[in-house]
Amino acid sequence: MRLLAGVLLLASTLTGSSDPAAVVDGWKTSPVYVDPTQRSLVSDKDAAELAERVNGHDPAIRIAVVPAAVLKAGDQSAAAHTYVDQVVDRQQADGIYLVVFGGAISWGSAVGVDTPIADILTDELGKHSRSDPVGTLNGVLDQLDVPKASSRGPGWLWPLLIVVVLLIAGGLALRWWKTRARKDEGPALYRPSYDVLPDEVDTVDERRATAREDVTRFGEELDAADVRLDSHDLTGTAADVQAAMDAYADAGRVVDGQPDDDKLREVRATVEYGRWRLACAQAKVAGTPSPARRAACFFDPGHGTSVTDWMYTPPGGRSREVPVCSACRDRLSGGSR
């Protein structure tokens, strides 16, 4: 009996290939196989620690990390299902199989084992970042009651590490205390519509101004959309248009006053909701599926509702996942300029 779970994650452009034969050959020396092109996701050290956890476990657990490029164009879930079946058929052994396809899909298979791998994998994918397959895999192993890898360091190393960590933590705390922002300073809590970095808008007054700018732009988008309601499903389309207009009115009433940061965050959520309902109305008129409810594009809410999340590193900042529209996704992946 096979229990399969496939979870779609952020699609990424990766190179390299690992056919099922290469994976099975890799399992001859270690229960964890990582394609050389995927070591930025799972390092040699992480792979060794995962292998130490699952080595000798009953039932057997085998892990593979392969590039998303092995999934051909089309239905990625079906392609992942087929790929894992081919690996299992070559291995010809019962056990639990966990396969990570780069940043695209993670798939689990329980063969001859009564283990709810679908529920476990889905649960852990909800807890960890899409760019953290190691955390996801360790979470799955925790739920399977697989013991953690034993420490190999000498006994005196732990006290030393604790002292070092405390010193670092103290230094960071001191630095934060000296550089902490006053109430009306620091990174903007409201993301503006136009092209600026978040930390270029520092005061509450400036954040209010960017909020008013965004609401104004949303009103212009409503005017420009000019959704025609004749000869279409008036009930659904009209409801979407009315909801978008109500969101614009609600946001406008807030920014006309003197909102604090909590209210400004509510304004952003209201405008994003209104843009989504407007996109639903436009989709109904065009005869296309309504877009999923997602945040607006990080780089410019005027681009509309985002279609996926993308790892983005701002100049001088840290990598984080941001929602992007299809055009920005193509630009970031090199598909268009």
Side-chain angles (χ1 to χ4, degrees):
M1 178 181 66
R2 300 180 181 180
L3 301 176
L4 301 174
V7 181
L8 289 175
L9 299 181
L10 172 66
S12 60
T13 304
L14 298 174
T15 59
S17 62
S18 282
D19 60 26
V23 174
V24 174
D25 286 342
W27 283 339
K28 292 178 181 178
T29 56
S30 171
V32 177
Y33 170 82
V34 179
D35 183 272
T37 65
Q38 303 304 298
R39 286 172 182 159
S40 61
L41 284 176
V42 179
S43 67
D44 290 343
K45 178 177 178 294
D46 291 330
E49 291 177 354
L50 288 168
E52 184 178 352
R53 286 195 72 175
V54 303
N55 193 32
H57 188 269
D58 185 19
I61 300 175
R62 298 175 180 87
I63 297 172
V65 182
V66 299
V70 302
L71 303 175
K72 306 303 180 183
D75 187 340
Q76 288 191 321
S77 295
H81 190 159
T82 300
Y83 185 94
V84 174
D85 279 349
Q86 292 174 349
V87 170
V88 172
D89 291 340
R90 284 180 176 273
Q91 184 66 25
Q92 294 185 344
D94 290 348
I96 297 173
Y97 296 77
L98 297 169
V99 181
V100 176
F101 296 88
I105 299 177
S106 290
W107 201 273
S109 176
V111 182
V113 180
D114 188 15
T115 300
I117 194 64
D119 295 338
I120 293 173
L121 181 57
T122 300
D123 182 54
E124 289 302 322
L125 285 166
K127 298 176 182 177
H128 298 277
S129 167
R130 295 179 174 90
S131 57
D132 182 24
V134 175
T136 300
L137 291 170
N138 274 312
V140 172
L141 297 180
D142 289 342
Q143 293 204 42
L144 293 174
D145 294 326
V146 179
K148 296 186 182 296
S150 60
S151 173
R152 297 182 179 273
W156 54 265
L157 183 58
W158 284 112
L160 178 60
L161 289 176
I162 292 174
V163 172
V164 172
V165 170
L166 290 175
L167 289 174
I168 293 175
L172 292 175
L174 180 61
R175 181 180 178 184
W176 169 83
W177 179 259
K178 291 181 177 180
T179 61
R180 70 191 189 284
R182 294 197 298 271
K183 180 178 179 181
D184 291 345
E185 296 179 348
L189 297 177
Y190 186 89
R191 186 170 67 243
S193 298
Y194 47 85
D195 187 21
V196 301
L197 295 177
D199 56 3
E200 289 180 330
V201 182
D202 290 334
T203 69
V204 171
D205 286 338
E206 288 173 318
R207 292 196 280 273
R208 289 168 181 157
T210 58
R212 296 186 186 104
E213 169 73 13
D214 201 20
V215 173
T216 300
R217 288 187 56 170
F218 178 41
E220 294 170 351
E221 292 164 19
L222 283 169
D223 290 338
D226 190 23
V227 178
R228 294 182 174 273
L229 301 180
D230 53 318
S231 73
H232 293 288
D233 176 12
L234 298 183
T235 302
T237 307
D240 285 329
V241 172
Q242 186 61 52
M245 295 177 65
D246 289 345
Y248 168 68
D250 292 342
R253 281 192 293 270
V254 175
V255 297
D256 284 343
Q258 296 295 316
D260 57 15
D261 280 323
D262 289 337
K263 290 295 184 181
L264 290 176
R265 281 190 288 269
E266 293 177 8
V267 167
R268 181 172 66 186
T270 300
V271 172
E272 287 179 349
Y273 172 75
R275 284 193 169 105
W276 172 66
R277 293 300 295 266
L278 176 60
C280 290
Q282 292 172 316
K284 287 185 175 70
V285 172
T288 59
S290 296
R293 183 177 178 182
R294 293 180 52 87
C297 179
F298 170 81
F299 296 102
D300 188 341
H303 292 174
T305 304
S306 63
V307 298
T308 188
D309 297 322
W310 200 272
M311 291 303 295
Y312 170 68
T313 305
R318 294 184 299 175
S319 296
R320 80 286 300 268
E321 292 182 10
V322 298
V324 296
C325 64
S326 58
C328 289
R329 177 197 59 195
D330 294 341
R331 175 176 59 82
L332 292 168
S333 65
S336 63
R337 296 291 179 187

